[in-house]
Amino acid sequence: MNPSADSPRFADEVRQSARLAAPLAAGHLSHGLVAFVDTVVAGRHGTTTLAAVAVGTALFWLPMMLPMGTLMALPPSVSQLDGARRRREIGPLWRQSLWLALGLGALLFALVTVLPLMLGPMGIAADIIPGATGFLHAIRWGIPAFTVYLCMRYLSDGLHWSLPTMLIGFGGLLLLAPGGYVLTNGLFGLPEMGAAGLGWASAAMFWGQLLAFALYLRLSPRFADLGLYAHWERPQWATIRGLLGRGLPIGVTITMEGSLFIVTALLIGRLGEVPVAAHQIAINVASLCFMIPFGVAEATTVRVGHALGRGDRDGIRRAYFAGLALVLGTQALSALVMLLGNHAIVGLYTGDAVVGALAASLLLYAALFQFPDGVQVLSAGALRGLNDTRVPMWLAALAYWGIGMPVGAGLGLALGWGPRGMWLGLTAGLSVAAVLLARRFLRSSLRVPIVLQARIEGGSSVTVTDAA
């Protein structure tokens, strides 16, 4: 399909994708602002606190990438059922996803409990370890709430209703910002907790968001016909295995990408508190900018999945190219902001001149990977909409760990380029991923719908399988 050959329908697809993506991007931005709040509060408390939060945040989100990605099997599954007019099956599927989320949450709680034991062997500077340990031991209490919250959010997103994600996401910041500031600095007679205070405030925010979304799903007439709380089934292992079969490769793929950034932070942590503090500032800015194409990618997942449920081959490719148009525009703006406003942005985070100068230079490197980062996340999202997840997992492993990490470690550590060399490794990994995943989608989008249409014409039941 050539989008320009059907410009009115393509323009309409862009508008629909933008309407769906805007609240999703805003919701992701609210999650990104969690790290922003943590970074600003920690930076104002002290460089050591900022470095501790940087390491603690990295070690927290590294394992959390796996359940986040695994549960991303829910939006395309819900969207396909909705597109095929099988809404009665959505409620039972969602309830089984809750069992999966609880299991994943328990496993992650146990893992984050023991992660601080690895800080010393990792070579993290000794003055950073106490604060990072306190942060991790506090924030772990919010993990079960966060994994269950993801199921609620992904259900709503899969039904083309992303406004609650945005509102509840920003609502959480109203709890985190003042709570984190008070606990970190020890105001109103409370003890000064430093990095641990931000961990406790984050955990409280996760529980508040879970309760708010659960209440919304219970009261909103938009979800009434789904019977979400009508009754509860025991775990049905066949359904849970199906979600794991589709979602685990997504989780591994996202972990491959996320861990590239996180392990980079941990390696920079070996260089001392100034490099890790500067990296934390720059990566937080880059992460905030990434939330916009991430939201577009999730909208594209839903649009592609809905078109797949209808058996609309042209609609699948039209959804991808509409998302690509949006991503290229947003990434151009992000790169421009980083290039022209790097010093002003860094000034919001820290008053330390040495940390600020290094962070400002890293933002110039971040501008380099804005376009490949946008293309790779969009292509991965479109592939999720096709249930094509296994081969992209291996492509991500090759790009991020076969190319990105060796290049970054070689330049940054072996050749002594420091954080700047590590960031060039990030750019290399993202660029290779963008090429491989975009090529994979363009091939898969031609093959999978043809199989689907043949089954419809043959009169048999429709079963979407992996494109690999």
Side-chain angles (χ1 to χ4, degrees), residues 69-335:
T70 300
L71 293 170
M72 278 185 180
L74 192 59
S77 299
V78 168
S79 184
Q80 288 163 25
L81 290 173
D82 187 40
R85 299 183 181 180
R86 296 159 57 190
R87 285 177 64 90
R88 67 183 181 278
E89 300 176 37
I90 293 175
L93 176 67
W94 177 72
R95 288 189 289 272
Q96 292 304 307
S97 75
L98 294 179
W99 287 113
L100 177 58
L102 287 171
L104 292 171
L107 289 173
L108 267 295
F109 180 91
L111 179 60
V112 173
T113 298
V114 301
L115 274 179
L117 300 176
M118 301 170 57
L119 293 173
M122 285 179 183
I124 300 300
D127 55 344
I128 297 175
I129 292 178
T133 300
F135 178 86
L136 287 168
H137 280 171
I139 199 173
R140 62 178 170 165
W141 294 102
I143 290 175
F146 182 68
T147 55
V148 174
Y149 161 82
L150 288 174
C151 291
M152 299 180 176
R153 183 197 140 179
Y154 289 157
L155 168 73
S156 185
D157 294 348
L159 292 171
H160 289 71
W161 184 238
S162 50
L163 185 62
T165 296
M166 178 184 72
L167 296 178
I168 293 174
F170 279 103
L173 294 174
L174 299 178
L175 180 63
L176 174 65
Y181 187 79
V182 168
L183 294 176
T184 298
N185 294 283
L187 305 180
F188 306 114
L190 295 172
E192 183 179 353
M193 302 175 69
L198 285 167
W200 285 113
S202 298
M205 179 195 68
F206 290 147
W207 282 103
Q209 289 177 320
L210 168 64
L211 295 174
F213 221 130
L215 185 63
Y216 176 78
L217 292 179
R218 178 67 179 84
L219 299 178
S220 173
R222 182 179 292 270
F223 302 93
D225 66 310
L226 301 179
L228 297 177
Y229 300 110
H231 56 87
W232 296 95
E233 303 92 353
R234 291 183 177 182
Q236 297 175 359
W237 301 116
T239 302
I240 292 175
R241 279 195 302 269
L243 285 170
L244 278 172
R246 293 188 298 273
L248 197 56
I250 301 173
V252 172
T253 300
I254 290 177
T255 302
M256 289 290 178
E257 178 191 358
S259 61
L260 176 66
F261 286 84
I262 291 170
V263 172
T264 295
L266 295 175
L267 290 176
I268 292 174
R270 299 168 64 95
L271 303 177
E273 65 180 26
V274 170
V276 76
H279 171 80
Q280 175 66 6
I281 292 171
I283 204 66
N284 182 241
V285 175
S287 297
L288 288 174
C289 293
F290 175 74
M291 297 307 163
I292 299 176
F294 194 16
V296 176
E298 284 203 329
T300 302
T301 298
V302 173
R303 297 295 297 168
V304 168
H306 201 266
L308 184 62
R310 300 193 312 268
D312 182 359
R313 172 174 40 186
D314 287 343
I316 290 171
R317 293 171 69 82
R318 190 162 51 243
Y320 174 77
F321 285 111
L324 184 62
L326 292 170
V327 160
L328 292 178
T330 61
Q331 296 305 88
L333 180 60
S334 295

Side-chain angles (χ1 to χ4, degrees), residues 285-286 289 334-342 345 363-364 366-367 370:
V285 175
C289 293
S334 295
L336 188 63
V337 168
M338 291 180 187
L339 289 172
L340 299 181
N342 56 334
I345 293 170
L363 282 182
L364 301 180
Q370 290 306 295

